[in-house]
């Protein structure tokens, strides 16, 4: 029996959607990293019960951190994106979290910069607050060890290749799962990251998507938790391609999941077809409820996923809509995505010649 709802929400389901193609489905994935991070901070004495934990969020991490604070008796202060909706605002209020929401903005890059600036302002007034730094502190990797063990237990124990596919986002989920899966030595593990166009993380900031940037899997600023050298391949997908993936996943397999999942599912199907005999696991980070109007209500517009495929590129200058794929081969971060040297991970990366 779980002691708190956060533990149940963070426990994923493993669903076989095709032969050796597995969906790792979460209700809210970031609860896993937030719970483990807060528990680690308490266990190591870096924070105490009753302290205030602060961070910036576009939505999902805000909910995850609020649940972790509720679980462990902490106060929660969120600098929220303009995209935080009414349902989440209400949940945060009832959970006791304090939300400061950015004013409306059509520029998500400006929204993100405003949030970071506001975090620093709050810390100047309240230096006793603990900034969680979900984008830069690798304590957010910790919660994924147990998830990696579940994935390994579900995969065939025949030493065949395992491919993990998921949205990159802050870098914690795919980076941590790949790290722990590779550590167990049970077989080769490939990691394919999924990005929207317009994201600085893997160098697509020069390509604009006419629809929207897929929230949560890209970024307009460098993230230190993204270990670029861990990735074997990267897929960049447009909103329309991800929409086709989300609709196909619901129509074909009855899995109701978000837009980043649709992108990951499309990429995973392609990767899986290239590696006969291997197992492919793709991450479904959240449910589809936030996307009913923007994605699923447009199901009649969805392209047939079977007709879509990525264009292979060999340089970032070749990136173009609607779908591109590149063999990353463990390369370091593009210059614009280098981690800030003011972060612990960024300092480690600089000390290691860019390979941390």
């Amino acid at each position: 029996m779980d002691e708190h709802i956060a533990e149940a929400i963070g426990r994923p389901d493993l669903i076989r959607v095709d032969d050796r193609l597995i969906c790792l489905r979460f209700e809210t994935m970031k609860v896993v990293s937030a719970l483990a991070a807060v528990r680690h901070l308490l266990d190591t004495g870096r924070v105490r019960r009753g302290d205030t934990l602060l961070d910036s969020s576009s939505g999902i991490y805000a909910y995850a951190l609020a649940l972790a604070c509720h679980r462990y008796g902490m106060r929660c202060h969120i600098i929220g994106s303009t995209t935080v909706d009414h349902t989440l605002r209400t949940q945060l209020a009832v959970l006791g979290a304090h939300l400061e929401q950015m004013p409306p903005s059509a520029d998500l890059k400006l929204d993100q910069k405003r949030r970071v600036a506001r975090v620093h302002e709050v810390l100047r007034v309240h230096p006793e607050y603990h900034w969680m730094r979900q984008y830069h502190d690798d304590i957010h990797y910790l919660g994924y060890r147990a998830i990696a063990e579940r994935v390994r237990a579900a995969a065939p124990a025949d030493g065949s290749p395992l491919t993990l596919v998921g949205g990159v986002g802050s870098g914690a989920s795919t980076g941590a799962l790949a790290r722990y899966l590779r550590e167990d030595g049970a077989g080769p593990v490939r990691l394919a990251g999924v990005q929207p166009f317009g994201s600085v993380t893997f160098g697509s900031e020069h390509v604009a998507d006419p629809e929207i940037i897929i929230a949560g899997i890209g970024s307009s600023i460098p993230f230190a938790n993204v270990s670029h050298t861990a990735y074997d391949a990267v897929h960049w997908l447009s909103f329309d391609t991800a929409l086709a993936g989300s609709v196909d996943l619901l129509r074909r397999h009855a899995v109701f999941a978000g837009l980043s999942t649709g992108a990951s599912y499309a990429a995973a199907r392609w990767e899986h077809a290239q590696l006969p005999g291997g197992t492919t696991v793709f991450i479904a980070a959240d449910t589809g409820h936030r996307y009913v109007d923007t994605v699923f209500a447009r199901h009649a517009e969805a392209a047939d996923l079977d007709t879509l495929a990525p264009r292979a590129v060999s340089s970032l200058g070749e990136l173009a809509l609607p779908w591109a794929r590149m063999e990353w081969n463990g390369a370091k971060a593009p210059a614009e995505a280098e981690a800030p040297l003011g972060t612990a991970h960024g300092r480690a990366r600089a000390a290691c010649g860019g390979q941390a």
Side-chain angles (χ1 to χ4, degrees), residues 187-273:
V189 176
R190 283 180 50 81
L191 177 59
V194 175
Q195 284 276 278
F197 290 98
S199 171
V200 71
T201 309
F202 279 89
S204 67
E205 64 271 17
H206 60 290
V207 183
D209 191 325
E211 282 278 359
I212 62 169
I213 293 177
I214 305 170
I217 64 171
S219 176
S220 62
I221 60 174
F223 287 168
N225 270 343
V226 178
S227 181
H228 292 76
T229 57
Y231 293 83
D232 298 288
V234 179
H235 288 253
W236 294 264
L237 289 89
S238 68
F239 172 88
D240 289 337
T241 308
L243 182 149
S246 295
V247 171
D248 188 272
L249 184 60
L250 179 57
R251 179 178 288 141
R252 196 185 305 236
H253 303 292
V255 176
F256 184 49
L259 193 59
S260 68
T261 301
S264 297
Y265 168 62
R269 276 170 43 105
W270 192 90
E271 292 289 337
H272 193 58

Side-chain angles (χ1 to χ4, degrees), residues 12-18 20-26 29 151 162-167 174 177 191-192 194 245-246 248-250 253 255 257-258 260-272 279-285 305:
D13 304 306
L14 285 160
I15 303 165
R16 185 178 69 83
V17 298
D18 206 339
R20 292 190 176 226
L21 178 60
I22 300 170
C23 175
L24 180 63
R25 178 199 173 274
F26 292 85
M29 182 180 68
V151 169
L162 174 65
T163 301
L164 176 68
V165 183
T174 49
L177 287 169
L191 177 59
V194 175
S246 295
D248 188 272
L249 184 60
L250 179 57
H253 303 292
V255 176
S260 68
T261 301
S264 297
Y265 168 62
R269 276 170 43 105
W270 192 90
E271 292 289 337
H272 193 58
T279 299
T280 304
V281 177
F282 67 94
I283 298 173
L305 193 59

Side-chain angles (χ1 to χ4, degrees), residues 34-332:
L35 274 179
V38 174
R39 186 168 60 247
H40 179 76
L41 291 171
L42 286 165
D43 290 346
T44 56
R46 291 171 61 187
V47 300
R48 295 177 297 178
R49 289 182 182 271
D51 285 354
T52 297
L53 305 182
L54 168 72
D55 215 343
S56 160
S57 173
S58 59
I60 296 300
Y61 186 78
Y63 179 52
L65 185 59
L67 286 172
C69 287
H70 189 278
R71 168 70 176 85
Y72 290 112
M74 316 292 290
R75 294 185 175 90
C76 182
H77 189 132
I78 297 293
I79 310 301
S81 168
T82 185
T83 58
V84 174
D85 61 21
H86 173 71
T87 299
L88 180 55
R89 288 197 300 270
T90 303
Q91 286 177 292
L92 293 176
V94 176
L95 285 168
H98 176 62
L99 171 67
E100 291 187 49
Q101 188 169 10
M102 291 295 101
S105 172
D107 185 345
L108 291 182
K109 184 173 183 178
L110 175 61
D111 177 80
Q112 202 163 36
K113 287 184 175 179
R114 281 176 173 172
R115 285 188 277 134
V116 172
R118 180 55 185 155
V119 165
H120 287 290
E121 290 175 358
V122 172
L123 288 171
R124 282 194 290 270
V125 177
H126 295 284
E128 74 280 9
Y129 286 7
H130 181 85
W131 182 15
M132 291 298 295
R133 299 188 308 142
Q134 65 151 321
Y135 306 130
H136 306 303
D137 192 335
D138 64 5
I139 63 170
H140 291 90
Y141 276 42
L142 298 175
Y144 292 102
R145 183 179 291 278
I147 308 300
E149 291 171 354
R150 288 195 64 195
V151 169
R152 181 58 79 189
D158 56 5
S160 59
L162 174 65
T163 301
L164 176 68
V165 183
V168 177
S170 70
S173 59
T174 49
L177 287 169
R179 175 191 292 180
Y180 297 136
L181 286 166
R182 286 166 175 165
E183 283 179 357
D184 69 24
V189 176
R190 283 180 50 81
L191 177 59
V194 175
Q195 284 276 278
F197 290 98
S199 171
V200 71
T201 309
F202 279 89
S204 67
E205 64 271 17
H206 60 290
V207 183
D209 191 325
E211 282 278 359
I212 62 169
I213 293 177
I214 305 170
I217 64 171
S219 176
S220 62
I221 60 174
F223 287 168
N225 270 343
V226 178
S227 181
H228 292 76
T229 57
Y231 293 83
D232 298 288
V234 179
H235 288 253
W236 294 264
L237 289 89
S238 68
F239 172 88
D240 289 337
T241 308
L243 182 149
S246 295
V247 171
D248 188 272
L249 184 60
L250 179 57
R251 179 178 288 141
R252 196 185 305 236
H253 303 292
V255 176
F256 184 49
L259 193 59
S260 68
T261 301
S264 297
Y265 168 62
R269 276 170 43 105
W270 192 90
E271 292 289 337
H272 193 58
Q274 312 311 305
L275 198 62
T279 299
T280 304
V281 177
F282 67 94
I283 298 173
D286 60 359
T287 65
H289 295 88
R290 292 194 303 155
Y291 304 94
V292 169
D293 294 329
T294 56
V295 174
F296 293 101
R298 299 171 58 179
H299 62 89
E301 303 171 29
D304 180 353
L305 193 59
D306 290 334
T307 68
L308 305 180
R311 172 175 175 255
V313 301
S314 57
S315 72
L316 296 176
E318 298 175 41
L319 292 179
L321 298 164
W323 185 358
R325 180 190 181 276
M326 181 175 171
E327 288 287 342
W328 193 258
N329 293 324
K332 66 179 183 178

